[in-house]
Amino acid sequence: MAERTLKRLSAYSGSCMILTTKHAKSIAIAPPFWSRLEASILEYVADTDQLGTFSGEVERSGSALDCARRKCEWALEKLGDKVDYALASEGSFGPHPFLPYLPCDEEILYFIDRKRGFHLHLSQLSEQTNYNMTQVQSWEALLAFARTAQFPSHGLIVRPNDRATQEPVFKGIQSKNELEAAYEVSRLYSEQGTIWVETDMRAKFNPTRMQVIGQLADRLADRLSCLCPSCHTPGWGKVGSEKGLPCRRCGYETELTKYEIDGCVLCTYRTIRGRPDGLTQADPGYCPVCNP
Ligand SMILES: [Zn+2]
Ligand SMILES: [Zn+2]
């Protein structure tokens, strides 16, 4: 890969980046930023719930990407000119876009370098998640759900199911005692005695999600360690790809990726490189002429 020939010198060595989070995400983000960039992460604990919650009390306005960007801008605004670098992450959970029966976690990590004047974000789609929800009518059914949700290492949210306000809500439940208390109270508040239970997806209560954020943080730190060969701005890496891998038999340009495009976050310098798997010709099976 062309990337290997690039100079890897951390432009962020010794610097401090502000991470806007309410849920201790530096646990996952700080280690790769330290080991790859020698940059330290300082948490800015803000009430990001104002931008939307997973459990639906506050609807998220705009996309997950907007939300992640706003968290970064928030820190830069509130903390003033001394802060040059801001980071924030945002997750979305739901059915996999191609395999709808499979729940998945899509994480976005957003970075703003105010000093150099660029934004960079990466995302990661992972099937590695315990994301789930259901309604139950017995303690046994609740326990069965809890087991599949990796409770108690992973937190749960419990509330009455059939009351208009659906309150009270018990969040971040991480012990059997708390679960039992939440179950009893929710049952009292529910006319049908039905309880709503869901996995708590906030990073602090969800080690699996924390791990996915860590993998993404590692990719972002790696990307920030790559400098543009032309202007030396950090963040050099893949910005696109071009279709048209030629068919091995007839040469027709198929829909498969022909090459990948690397680019700079600041200047217009671009380079192309071959596919990561080294393929230069497509199997005729993918060709609309040979295999219509
Ligand atoms: Zn450049
Ligand atoms: Zn062909």
Side-chain angles (χ1 to χ4, degrees):
M1 268 160 75
E3 191 178 318
R4 291 227 177 85
T5 62
L6 282 169
K7 211 167 34 174
R8 280 177 190 269
L9 233 174
S10 176
Y12 299 104
S13 182
S15 64
C16 178
M17 299 179 177
I18 303 295
L19 170 67
T20 309
T21 179
K22 203 181 152 189
H23 306 300
K25 287 177 186 167
S26 64
I27 292 170
I29 297 173
F33 271 73
W34 176 252
S35 64
R36 290 194 184 271
L37 299 170
E38 295 176 333
S40 37
I41 302 285
L42 203 65
E43 285 191 3
Y44 173 48
V45 184
D47 188 8
T48 52
D49 284 356
Q50 291 175 39
L51 300 174
T53 60
F54 295 128
S55 32
E57 293 92 339
V58 183
E59 199 70 48
R60 188 166 70 192
S61 65
S63 65
L65 186 62
D66 291 337
C67 192
R69 194 196 64 242
R70 288 211 304 273
K71 285 181 192 172
C72 286
E73 287 169 344
W74 195 346
L76 293 175
E77 249 167 59
K78 297 266 163 101
L79 301 175
D81 296 342
K82 281 187 197 123
V83 176
D84 287 324
Y85 314 114
L87 270 167
S89 106
E90 183 69 16
S92 309
F93 307 92
H96 193 281
F98 309 118
L99 308 161
Y101 55 89
L102 204 66
C104 75
D105 169 9
E106 183 169 22
E107 296 291 339
I108 293 171
L109 193 54
Y110 204 101
F111 175 71
I112 298 180
D113 182 330
R114 178 152 68 178
K115 193 170 151 189
R116 296 176 180 85
F118 73 85
H119 291 205
L120 177 64
H121 59 86
L122 293 183
S123 65
Q124 182 144 333
L125 191 69
S126 175
E127 298 92 59
Q128 200 189 328
T129 179
N130 69 335
Y131 178 66
N132 201 0
M133 58 192 65
T134 191
Q135 36 177 295
V136 294
Q137 280 193 306
S138 69
W139 171 243
E140 288 69 32
L142 181 59
L143 275 186
F145 177 89
R147 264 192 299 274
T148 62
Q150 300 176 60
F151 175 84
S153 68
H154 290 59
L156 293 176
I157 296 175
V158 165
R159 63 179 158 213
N161 186 50
D162 54 1
R163 199 160 156 270
T165 61
Q166 295 195 333
E167 280 180 340
V169 182
F170 299 91
K171 298 168 88 169
I173 300 172
Q174 280 188 302
S175 76
K176 211 167 165 182
N177 285 346
E178 287 174 273
L179 186 63
E180 207 163 358
Y183 171 76
E184 292 302 339
V185 176
S186 298
R187 212 160 57 127
L188 288 178
Y189 275 90
S190 162
E191 281 142 33
Q192 315 286 330
T194 312
I195 315 301
W196 178 258
V197 56
E198 63 185 79
T199 47
D200 195 330
M201 301 315 292
R202 292 173 297 164
K204 194 164 50 173
F205 299 98
N206 201 305
T208 300
R209 180 171 175 225
M210 201 65 108
Q211 220 179 332
V212 177
I213 294 172
Q215 292 160 3
L216 181 56
D218 191 58
R219 282 177 48 216
L220 183 64
D222 182 52
R223 175 84 175 243
L224 288 171
S225 74
C226 295
L227 307 185
C228 168
S230 173
C231 74
H232 310 296
T233 300
W236 174 264
K238 186 181 168 184
V239 292
S241 57
E242 190 69 34
K243 285 192 281 193
L245 193 68
C247 169
R248 195 187 330 125
R249 194 181 297 157
C250 74
Y252 183 87
E253 296 200 333
T254 67
E255 287 291 296
L256 298 186
T257 298
K258 190 176 178 184
Y259 52 79
E260 300 202 323
I261 305 165
D262 286 332
C264 176
V265 290
L266 209 55
C267 78
T268 55
Y269 191 69
R270 299 280 183 274
T271 59
I272 58 168
R273 61 181 154 86
R275 294 166 53 104
D277 60 12
L279 269 187
T280 53
Q281 289 182 312
D283 187 280
Y286 292 101
C287 174
V289 177
C290 298
N291 186 23

